Amino acid sequence: LGSSLKRKRMIMHLIKSSIMLLSLSFGALLFTSCASVPMMGLQQDQEAKEFKTEPSKSRIYIYRNENFGGAIKVTVTIDGKLVGQTASNTYFAVDVDSGKHQISCLAESNSQVEVNVKSGEAAYVFQEMKMGLMSAGCALEEVSAIIGQKAVRECKRAQANF
Protein backbone atom coordinates (compact mmCIF):
# COMPACT_ATOMS: atom_id res chain seq x y z
CA LEU A 1 0.00 0.00 0.00
CA GLY A 2 2.84 2.41 0.88
CA SER A 3 4.71 1.87 -2.39
CA SER A 4 1.49 2.32 -4.39
CA LEU A 5 0.90 5.70 -2.72
CA LYS A 6 4.51 6.76 -3.37
CA ARG A 7 4.15 5.75 -7.02
CA LYS A 8 0.94 7.80 -7.42
CA ARG A 9 2.61 10.83 -5.82
CA MET A 10 5.62 10.46 -8.12
CA ILE A 11 3.37 10.22 -11.17
CA MET A 12 1.40 13.31 -10.06
CA HIS A 13 4.66 15.18 -9.49
CA LEU A 14 5.87 14.24 -12.98
CA ILE A 15 2.57 15.35 -14.52
CA LYS A 16 2.67 18.71 -12.69
CA SER A 17 6.31 19.22 -13.66
CA SER A 18 5.53 18.41 -17.30
CA ILE A 19 2.61 20.84 -17.36
CA MET A 20 4.76 23.57 -15.82
CA LEU A 21 7.57 22.94 -18.32
CA LEU A 22 5.12 23.06 -21.24
CA SER A 23 3.62 26.31 -19.92
CA LEU A 24 7.05 27.91 -19.56
CA SER A 25 8.07 26.70 -23.03
CA PHE A 26 4.89 28.13 -24.55
CA GLY A 27 5.45 31.43 -22.76
CA ALA A 28 9.04 31.62 -24.00
CA LEU A 29 7.89 30.84 -27.54
CA LEU A 30 5.20 33.51 -27.33
CA PHE A 31 7.70 36.18 -26.32
CA THR A 32 10.50 35.24 -28.72
CA SER A 33 8.84 34.08 -31.94
CA CYS A 34 8.10 36.56 -34.71
CA ALA A 35 4.86 38.20 -35.73
CA SER A 36 4.37 39.43 -39.28
CA VAL A 37 3.11 42.87 -40.28
CA PRO A 38 2.79 44.52 -43.74
CA MET A 39 6.17 45.87 -44.78
CA MET A 40 7.38 48.63 -47.10
CA GLY A 41 9.74 47.85 -49.96
CA LEU A 42 13.51 47.93 -49.70
CA GLN A 43 13.74 51.28 -51.52
CA GLN A 44 11.28 53.00 -49.14
CA ASP A 45 13.18 51.49 -46.19
CA GLN A 46 16.52 52.81 -47.47
CA GLU A 47 15.09 56.27 -48.25
CA ALA A 48 13.66 56.61 -44.72
CA LYS A 49 17.05 55.64 -43.29
CA GLU A 50 18.61 58.71 -44.96
CA PHE A 51 16.75 60.66 -42.23
CA LYS A 52 15.76 63.54 -44.49
CA THR A 53 12.54 65.46 -43.98
CA GLU A 54 10.76 67.91 -46.22
CA PRO A 55 11.33 71.52 -45.05
CA SER A 56 7.58 72.09 -44.63
CA LYS A 57 6.90 68.80 -42.78
CA SER A 58 8.09 66.91 -39.72
CA ARG A 59 8.75 63.18 -39.43
CA ILE A 60 8.13 60.84 -36.52
CA TYR A 61 10.03 57.56 -36.35
CA ILE A 62 8.50 54.95 -34.06
CA TYR A 63 10.70 51.88 -33.70
CA ARG A 64 10.77 48.54 -31.91
CA ASN A 65 14.31 47.14 -32.15
CA GLU A 66 14.02 44.18 -29.80
CA ASN A 67 13.07 40.52 -30.05
CA PHE A 68 11.24 40.30 -26.72
CA GLY A 69 7.53 39.91 -27.40
CA GLY A 70 8.22 39.05 -31.02
CA ALA A 71 5.00 37.06 -31.41
CA ILE A 72 2.96 40.10 -30.39
CA LYS A 73 1.81 42.82 -32.79
CA VAL A 74 1.23 46.19 -31.14
CA THR A 75 -1.11 48.82 -32.53
CA VAL A 76 0.30 52.35 -32.82
CA THR A 77 -1.64 55.59 -33.22
CA ILE A 78 -0.68 59.23 -33.75
CA ASP A 79 -3.21 61.78 -32.55
CA GLY A 80 -5.82 58.99 -32.34
CA LYS A 81 -5.33 57.92 -35.99
CA LEU A 82 -4.22 54.36 -36.69
CA VAL A 83 -0.64 54.13 -37.96
CA GLY A 84 -0.45 50.33 -38.02
CA GLN A 85 1.06 47.51 -36.01
CA THR A 86 4.67 46.92 -35.04
CA ALA A 87 6.45 43.59 -34.73
CA SER A 88 10.01 42.82 -33.67
CA ASN A 89 12.63 44.94 -35.37
CA THR A 90 10.22 47.15 -37.30
CA TYR A 91 9.68 50.90 -37.48
CA PHE A 92 7.35 53.52 -38.90
CA ALA A 93 8.40 56.77 -40.56
CA VAL A 94 5.39 59.08 -40.61
CA ASP A 95 5.33 62.60 -42.04
CA VAL A 96 3.22 65.01 -40.00
CA ASP A 97 2.64 68.75 -39.66
CA SER A 98 4.94 70.47 -37.19
CA GLY A 99 3.75 70.82 -33.61
CA LYS A 100 2.71 68.57 -30.76
CA HIS A 101 1.61 64.99 -31.47
CA GLN A 102 0.34 62.25 -29.16
CA ILE A 103 1.79 58.79 -29.96
CA SER A 104 0.11 55.77 -28.34
CA CYS A 105 0.71 52.04 -28.30
CA LEU A 106 -2.20 49.78 -27.47
CA ALA A 107 -1.54 46.49 -25.68
CA GLU A 108 -2.38 44.97 -22.29
CA SER A 109 -0.79 48.06 -20.75
CA ASN A 110 -1.06 51.07 -23.03
CA SER A 111 1.43 53.90 -23.23
CA GLN A 112 1.45 57.45 -24.58
CA VAL A 113 4.10 60.02 -25.24
CA GLU A 114 3.79 63.54 -26.60
CA VAL A 115 6.42 64.82 -29.02
CA ASN A 116 6.85 68.36 -30.30
CA VAL A 117 8.45 68.43 -33.75
CA LYS A 118 9.52 71.45 -35.78
CA SER A 119 9.30 71.76 -39.56
CA GLY A 120 12.17 69.98 -41.28
CA GLU A 121 13.02 67.97 -38.15
CA ALA A 122 12.34 64.47 -36.88
CA ALA A 123 11.39 62.89 -33.55
CA TYR A 124 12.33 59.35 -32.52
CA VAL A 125 10.16 57.20 -30.28
CA PHE A 126 11.27 53.85 -28.85
CA GLN A 127 8.53 51.28 -28.32
CA GLU A 128 9.53 48.82 -25.61
CA MET A 129 7.71 45.59 -24.89
CA LYS A 130 6.80 44.89 -21.29
CA MET A 131 5.77 41.68 -19.58
CA GLY A 132 2.04 41.72 -18.86
CA LEU A 133 -0.25 39.57 -16.75
CA MET A 134 -2.10 37.92 -19.64
CA SER A 135 -0.20 39.27 -22.66
CA ALA A 136 2.50 41.78 -23.48
CA GLY A 137 2.32 45.47 -22.67
CA CYS A 138 4.19 48.38 -24.21
CA ALA A 139 5.95 51.56 -23.20
CA LEU A 140 6.95 54.57 -25.32
CA GLU A 141 9.89 56.90 -24.84
CA GLU A 142 11.18 59.78 -26.95
CA VAL A 143 14.93 59.39 -27.56
CA SER A 144 17.67 61.51 -29.12
CA ALA A 145 18.36 61.53 -32.86
CA ILE A 146 21.67 59.69 -32.32
CA ILE A 147 20.02 56.83 -30.40
CA GLY A 148 16.94 56.77 -32.66
CA GLN A 149 18.84 56.70 -35.96
CA LYS A 150 21.13 53.90 -34.76
CA ALA A 151 18.11 51.84 -33.67
CA VAL A 152 16.09 52.51 -36.84
CA ARG A 153 19.02 51.23 -38.93
CA GLU A 154 18.64 47.87 -37.13
CA CYS A 155 14.98 47.59 -38.17
CA LYS A 156 12.88 47.15 -41.31
CA ARG A 157 10.19 49.66 -42.27
CA ALA A 158 6.62 48.58 -41.61
CA GLN A 159 3.79 49.91 -43.75
CA ALA A 160 1.96 52.84 -42.17
CA ASN A 161 -1.72 53.58 -42.83
CA PHE A 162 -0.95 57.29 -43.45
Side-chain angles (χ1 to χ4, degrees):
L1 190 70
S3 68
S4 176
L5 187 57
K6 283 183 179 180
R7 182 180 228 175
K8 285 181 181 179
R9 285 183 179 163
M10 189 178 346
I11 290 172
M12 289 304 293
H13 178 72
L14 286 172
I15 290 172
K16 287 179 183 178
S17 297
S18 297
I19 290 171
M20 185 180 291
L21 183 61
L22 284 172
S23 297
L24 289 171
S25 297
F26 177 72
L29 179 65
L30 181 67
F31 283 102
T32 59
S33 60
C34 294
S36 176
V37 295
M39 302 298 290
M40 299 292 282
L42 181 60
Q43 183 175 347
Q44 291 99 339
D45 181 43
Q46 290 173 340
E47 287 172 359
K49 288 177 180 172
E50 292 175 7
F51 305 106
K52 297 178 182 174
T53 56
E54 294 180 35
S56 63
K57 286 288 197 179
S58 301
R59 180 169 280 183
I60 300 173
Y61 289 88
I62 304 160
Y63 68 91
R64 182 174 153 193
N65 67 331
E66 58 184 9
N67 289 320
F68 180 72
I72 309 296
K73 299 177 192 178
V74 177
T75 300
V76 174
T77 65
I78 296 178
D79 300 327
K81 297 177 188 170
L82 178 66
V83 176
Q85 293 183 310
T86 61
S88 283
N89 299 305
T90 61
Y91 75 95
F92 293 116
V94 181
D95 292 328
V96 295
D97 292 329
S98 62
K100 292 182 180 179
H101 296 278
Q102 186 80 32
I103 295 103
S104 302
C105 62
L106 310 173
E108 182 179 278
S109 60
N110 299 335
S111 182
Q112 296 180 343
V113 67
E114 184 176 86
V115 297
N116 190 6
V117 284
K118 297 178 183 173
S119 293
E121 294 183 5
Y124 300 86
V125 177
F126 169 51
Q127 180 189 62
E128 180 181 14
M129 296 304 295
K130 298 284 190 179
M131 187 74 107
L133 189 59
M134 300 300 289
S135 64
C138 61
L140 297 171
E141 177 186 1
E142 185 175 9
V143 299
S144 70
I146 292 169
I147 293 170
Q149 288 177 10
K150 180 181 182 300
V152 166
R153 285 187 185 101
E154 299 170 357
C155 301
K156 301 286 184 208
R157 188 174 179 185
Q159 185 175 328
N161 290 330
F162 72 91

